[in-house]
Amino acid sequence: MGAFLAAAAGFPTILFSSALVVVVVFWLLTAVGAADHHGFHGHQHFEAWGMGGVPVTVAFSLLTAVAWFVSLSTTVLLDPLVPFGLARAAFRVAVLAVALLVAWRTTRLLVRPLRHLLPDAPGPSRHDFVGLTCTIRTGRVDGGFGQAEVRPADGSSALVQVRQSGDDALGSGSTGLLYAYDEAGEFFWVAPYDSALDPRRPGSG
């Protein structure tokens, strides 16, 4: 155990140990909802190195974990066999380079099957629904009650809370237009939708 701790706290593994601590803390915060795994930037750099297609945080976490393991295991196994002095210093620099190379190649392989499971883009936000039509799913919609189904451009569907400020007839199956989102109440303001008046409709206006 002492050899592992010494290696983890020594060069070059300490570099990856520090990064691994950051990664673990980040994912703990993500688990409790205090962080977002889409939050890191640098997507273009990871794409250029063949590690794109998944969130940057996932690629960075894999890279860090693999590099840490390779560096730690190599140091523990081979470092005692290398003489002290310049030879050991050169060996540890070589371990750093090998750990990064192996981690890069391994991460490239690991992200391939993950690209379909963890796409590098979050789903549509609620604000993306503003301006879309919806189908009312409750018997009525008023200032305090109502639900509707909305389908964004990606083909998915979502059931959202809707309210209206007037007394228009909005019942189950009718079509409405989501024209604003209320952050505090977490609902959309909806109005009856008339396709004949839609400026996007050919010949309208």
Side-chain angles (χ1 to χ4, degrees):
M1 180 63 70
F4 279 94
L5 293 177
F11 181 84
T13 311
I14 186 61
L15 301 177
F16 305 119
S17 297
S18 301
L20 190 62
V21 169
V22 174
V23 167
V24 171
V25 171
F26 171 79
W27 285 110
L28 288 175
L29 291 175
T30 300
V32 299
D36 180 4
H37 72 274
H38 290 282
F40 286 1
H41 300 289
H43 166 71
Q44 293 181 347
H45 299 290
F46 276 78
E47 191 76 48
W49 285 92
M51 297 182 291
V54 297
V56 172
T57 49
V58 173
F60 179 77
S61 299
L62 290 173
L63 184 73
T64 300
V66 174
W68 177 84
F69 176 78
V70 172
S71 179
L72 179 65
S73 57
T74 304
T75 300
V76 170
L77 293 174
L78 301 180
D79 197 64
L81 305 177
V82 181
F84 285 98
L86 293 177
R88 179 163 292 188
F91 167 75
R92 291 183 175 181
V93 171
V95 170
L96 174 62
V98 169
L100 288 172
L101 179 61
V102 172
W104 169 57
R105 290 183 175 274
T106 303
T107 302
R108 288 184 63 183
L109 293 175
L110 293 176
V111 298
R112 290 176 183 174
L114 293 176
R115 285 170 179 163
H116 300 294
L117 301 175
L118 299 170
D120 186 20
S125 72
R126 292 179 178 178
H127 290 282
D128 294 332
F129 294 161
V130 175
L132 299 181
T133 58
C134 64
T135 302
I136 306 301
R137 293 306 185 198
T138 51
R140 74 179 195 282
V141 176
D142 54 33
F145 175 81
Q147 288 185 333
E149 181 182 8
V150 59
R151 294 184 177 273
D154 64 2
S156 62
S157 98
L159 191 65
V160 297
Q161 300 295 319
V162 292
R163 305 288 186 268
Q164 69 161 326
S165 57
D167 54 0
D168 296 299
L170 281 172
S172 180
S174 61
T175 302
L177 178 67
L178 305 176
Y179 64 87
Y181 180 67
D182 188 291
E183 290 278 2
E186 297 185 342
F187 61 81
F188 292 88
W189 289 107
V190 65
Y193 174 75
D194 186 350
S195 60
L197 301 178
D198 190 342
R200 297 169 294 184
R201 181 176 181 270
S204 64

